[in-house]
Amino acid sequence: MTLPVDEILRFLRSVHPYDSLAADTLDGIAQRFQVLNIDKGQPIYTFGEPMAGLYLLHDGEVEVRDGNGSPVSLLGPRNSFGERGLIRDNKAVTSTRAAADSVLLMLPRADFDTLMTTEPTFAKFFDRRRNDVRRGSDLATSRVQTFMAKTPVTCPLQTSVQQAARLMHDKHISSLCIVNDDRLAGIVTTRDLTGKVLAPGLPCTTPVEQVMAHDPLTLSPSAIGSDVLHAMMEHRIGHIPIVEAGKLVGIVTQTDLTRFQAVSSAELVSAIARADTAVEMARVTAEIPRLLVQLVAGGNRHEVVTRLITDIADTATRRLLKLAEATLGPPPVPYLWLACGSQGRQEQTGVSDQDNCLILDDAVTEQQMPYFAKLAKFVSDGLDTCGYFYCPGDMMATNPRWCQPVRVWRQYFQGWIAKPDPAAQMLASVMFDLRPIGGDKSLFDGLHTETLQAANRNSIFVAHMVANSLKHTPPLGLLRGFATIRSGEHRNTIDLKLNGVVPVVDLGRIYALQGKLTEVNTRARLRAAEAAGVLSASGGRDLIDAYDLIAETRLNHQLVRINAGEAPDNFMPPTTLSDFERSHLRDAFVVIKTMQSSVGQGRGMLS
């Protein structure tokens, strides 16, 4: 297909950093782009060859592979690629091919070099040479779907262990996914065959169902690489099936991760998973500020940084639960430990308290409740030792109110929804961010779904939740300034958490209620709301961009404090920002204020 210059120009105006160029500059650049039609499977450039220019994907998909032929990423429309090779020595540092029939715009190298010299915003966006020396950022930011084996070898439950061993030998693999009616039933590895078949002398006709690992740990294709590495280290496994909508779509093994070097956060997770006391864990969690500095200074996106930091808290919680059971004995009935607040949303930074609760099986008796009180105290005390201080509002499993059987939790949610007074709104806001951490997850599945359904049906409850969410307002002052804190310890600062991040968290929660969305992470909620039509594409994009800017400003502020030898906090003096940064931050707050106004008027953001 061909693209007229005016269509190229319209497209460039919607893509950063071209949207920041002066109109006459952009007009000239639009005429310099070459339109390339690439068929599916056709290479665009290969590793080590001279680069013709910078590529911008207009339509289609492009697969990027590293110098070893390993998948790096799968690009969609509006993504640029090739700049690293152009900046280095004009030789491609990756190989690319069209994963679907694609239309590319190619800016010749000479024009790219001119813009890099004359346009600072353009240069700042594309000059990522500092990222080339980062270790581990690829794993931290790459989606599982870009490096998983997409055609895992499978066999049915009735397959003999000898047939399974022969299949693994012939395919040069160390694991097999066992399926039943196209659904994952288990996994068997060479270690299973050695330890469970050869060692006890089972016959070679033994069905693989008898020796496989049932209901293995799985992840979704949208998980990030570090999720895989952390899970492998914590659970001491080397193979993780990838499942989407109940269907097996891939598998990731340790071999798939050898090219990645995200060892910093993974080493902390591994050390915590092996710790025998909370004091040992505290020596590990004391490294979190240093990890935050490395991740933020390395240019990682805020959602990656907070995910990695939250993973550490999750691992510490699960390890403390195991240590508690070892001390107290096995639990008398099944239980589930859940996190809410920033840990529940996977949004922890360098400043975190603990917000958690326990859901118990309905079979629990009054005589058994003291066991769970002791378990809650053991874990919460341990988390406090690790630096996750007690919740000032006592929103913890140590509070008997938040350590109850399923039936009581169901009554809680039903009551909050039926009578949405201010206290109910506050509690519901916290509890809608619940995320299972350790224990029997089935205790939460039905409760979560039915609560979303009931809340969505009650328009009065949703209206009260909307009103409650509008209490947190962006710090906008007059004359394009900021409304700073006027007195006290944090005078002349803005609270990037309470008046920056929290308003977006509140909006995300409202959209989740309106759309009956199960996501808990704020950014994931916004994406899901956009996909479900609760948010328009333009509204969702604006709000996500605003949220990203505020969240990254918050992390950068914490980085500065840590480097200065101070404890990280959320109170930033606007005077520390440049005029350019203040302008953009204020624009982000304006977007949030606009979205709040739309929600408050009952219109959502559908235009």
Side-chain angles (χ1 to χ4, degrees):
M1 70 181 286
T2 60
L3 294 175
V5 173
D6 60 341
E7 185 172 339
I8 294 175
L9 184 60
R10 283 195 298 271
F11 182 71
L12 293 178
R13 286 172 179 158
S14 70
V15 180
H16 193 69
Y18 304 98
D19 58 354
S20 66
L21 300 178
D24 55 344
T25 301
L26 189 59
D27 288 342
I29 290 299
Q31 299 180 48
R32 300 295 299 164
F33 272 96
Q34 300 175 16
V35 180
L36 306 177
N37 292 282
I38 310 294
D39 294 332
K40 179 180 179 180
Q42 181 179 345
I44 301 166
Y45 58 75
T46 57
F47 179 84
E49 75 176 23
M51 294 291 298
L54 177 72
Y55 295 87
L56 175 60
L57 183 55
H58 183 275
D59 188 42
E61 290 183 337
V62 170
E63 180 185 60
V64 182
R65 291 178 174 264
D66 63 19
N68 297 317
S70 300
V72 174
S73 60
L74 186 66
L75 304 179
R78 300 163 60 87
N79 276 285
S80 297
F81 57 99
E83 69 275 6
R84 290 176 61 199
L86 290 169
I87 291 172
R88 283 186 172 183
D89 55 3
N90 197 40
K91 291 184 179 179
V93 297
T94 58
S95 295
T96 56
R97 71 176 183 87
D101 292 343
S102 302
V103 179
L104 304 178
L105 302 179
M106 195 272 286
L107 182 67
R109 180 192 177 192
D111 298 296
F112 174 83
D113 290 341
T114 298
L115 287 176
M116 290 293 288
T117 303
T118 61
E119 297 292 336
T121 302
F122 189 93
K124 182 179 180 180
F125 184 82
F126 284 113
D127 189 356
R128 302 170 184 172
R129 283 173 291 185
R130 65 172 184 161
N131 295 340
D132 293 341
V133 299
R134 292 194 320 219
R135 300 184 62 83
S137 59
D138 285 345
L139 178 60
T141 58
S142 295
R143 297 291 180 185
V144 164
Q145 61 192 2
T146 66
F147 58 82
M148 69 182 184
K150 295 181 174 63
T151 54
V153 181
T154 65
C155 68
L157 294 167
Q158 298 75 24
T159 304
S160 71
V161 292
Q162 183 179 39
Q163 292 172 318
R166 183 178 297 119
L167 185 57
M168 284 191 275
H169 176 270
D170 292 345
K171 297 292 186 179
H172 304 287
I173 55 177
S174 58
S175 66
L176 277 177
C177 291
I178 315 303
V179 296
N180 183 27
D181 294 330
D182 294 325
R183 300 183 73 87
L184 180 68
I187 187 171
V188 65
T189 67
T190 52
R191 180 180 296 181
D192 293 325
L193 297 181
T194 300
K196 298 179 181 179
V197 179
L198 293 179
L202 293 181
C204 60
T205 56
T206 301
V208 71
E209 181 182 10
Q210 293 185 20
V211 300
M212 71 181 186
H214 294 261
D215 298 320
L217 174 71
T218 64
L219 290 172
S220 73
S222 63
I224 57 177
S226 55
D227 290 338
V228 177
L229 186 54
H230 291 175
M232 287 182 173
M233 287 192 166
E234 181 180 354
H235 299 282
R236 301 181 184 181
I237 55 178
H239 311 77
I240 298 182
I242 308 302
V243 174
E244 186 174 41
K247 182 180 179 182
L248 179 69
V249 296
I251 189 169
V252 176
T253 69
Q254 289 178 331
T255 303
D256 298 317
L257 302 178
T258 55
R259 66 184 180 276
F260 295 116
Q261 299 296 322
V263 295
S264 297
S265 57
E267 284 178 347
L268 298 188
V269 166
S270 179
I272 289 173
R274 297 193 306 269
D276 291 324
T277 66
V279 173
E280 289 182 31
M281 294 184 209
R283 286 194 285 268
V284 181
T285 56
E287 296 296 317
I288 289 177
R290 181 174 63 87
L291 173 64
L292 184 145
V293 168
Q294 291 177 348
L295 292 171
V296 176
N300 290 282
R301 293 180 58 85
H302 72 90
E303 69 268 25
V304 174
V305 176
T306 55
R307 173 84 69 86
L308 298 182
I309 290 176
T310 305
D311 281 352
I312 297 170
D314 290 355
T315 305
T317 304
R318 285 191 287 267
R319 183 57 180 161
L320 286 166
L321 287 169
K322 289 183 179 179
L323 293 176
E325 290 185 18
T327 301
L328 303 173
V333 297
Y335 71 87
L336 178 62
W337 184 282
L338 303 97
C340 45
S342 59
Q343 183 183 1
R345 298 189 304 273
Q346 295 181 297
E347 294 167 2
Q348 287 187 314
T349 66
V351 188
S352 296
D353 61 355
Q354 53 175 295
D355 298 282
N356 46 59
C357 66
L358 271 170
I359 296 180
L360 312 178
D361 189 277
D362 278 338
V364 68
T365 65
E366 283 298 324
Q367 292 73 26
Q368 295 168 336
M369 291 299 291
Y371 174 94
F372 294 104
K374 293 176 183 177
L375 180 139
K377 180 172 174 53
F378 186 102
V379 176
S380 289
D381 286 352
L383 289 173
D384 182 68
T385 299
C386 292
Y388 304 100
F389 53 86
Y390 298 118
C391 173
D394 202 19
M395 188 70 68
M396 298 188 301
T398 51
N399 183 339
R401 187 179 186 186
W402 310 129
C403 177
Q404 294 291 336
V406 176
R407 64 178 180 276
V408 175
W409 280 101
R410 183 171 284 110
Q411 292 170 4
Y412 285 164
F413 280 106
Q414 290 173 348
W416 296 334
I417 293 170
K419 297 181 180 180
D421 58 32
Q425 296 163 28
M426 184 275 292
L427 293 171
S429 294
V430 174
M431 294 303 176
F432 274 123
D433 293 348
L434 286 174
R435 181 171 62 88
I437 303 297
D440 187 347
K441 295 182 180 180
S442 67
L443 295 174
F444 186 59
D445 291 341
L447 178 63
H448 187 206
T449 302
E450 69 181 57
T451 300
L452 274 176
Q453 296 284 348
N456 175 267
R457 290 194 299 266
N458 191 323
S459 59
I460 296 177
F461 173 77
V462 174
H464 277 277
M465 289 290 289
V466 168
N468 188 60
S469 71
L470 301 181
K471 295 177 181 178
H472 300 117
T473 58
L476 291 170
L478 300 176
L479 303 176
R480 297 193 58 79
F482 295 104
T484 59
I485 297 172
R486 295 184 178 181
S487 61
E489 178 185 0
H490 304 297
R491 184 172 179 267
N492 295 328
T493 67
I494 55 178
D495 188 339
L496 289 172
K497 177 183 178 181
L498 190 62
N499 300 113
V501 171
V502 169
V504 187
V505 171
D506 290 339
L507 286 171
R509 192 181 297 117
I510 296 302
Y511 299 142
L513 288 176
Q514 292 175 335
K516 293 179 286 188
L517 308 173
T518 58
E519 286 79 3
V520 176
N521 174 266
T522 298
R523 205 172 192 279
R525 279 173 167 169
L526 299 181
R527 288 291 189 194
E530 183 181 343
V534 178
L535 270 172
S536 68
S538 59
R541 184 169 59 248
D542 287 346
L543 186 54
I544 289 171
D545 286 346
Y547 177 58
D548 288 346
L549 178 61
I550 295 167
E552 287 171 5
T553 300
R554 179 190 182 197
L555 287 178
N556 280 313
H557 165 70
Q558 293 187 6
L559 177 150
V560 170
R561 287 188 59 86
I562 293 170
N563 282 338
E566 301 172 328
D569 67 16
N570 297 301
F571 301 97
M572 185 194 69
T575 53
T576 61
L577 301 176
S578 68
D579 290 342
F580 178 84
E581 291 168 329
R582 284 198 296 271
S583 176
H584 278 66
L585 184 60
R586 192 181 189 284
D587 288 344
F589 289 142
V590 169
V591 168
I592 296 171
K593 186 67 174 178
T594 303
M595 302 293 274
Q596 286 183 324
S597 177
S598 296
V599 169
Q601 295 174 22
R603 294 187 289 105
M605 189 61 179
L606 300 175
S607 59

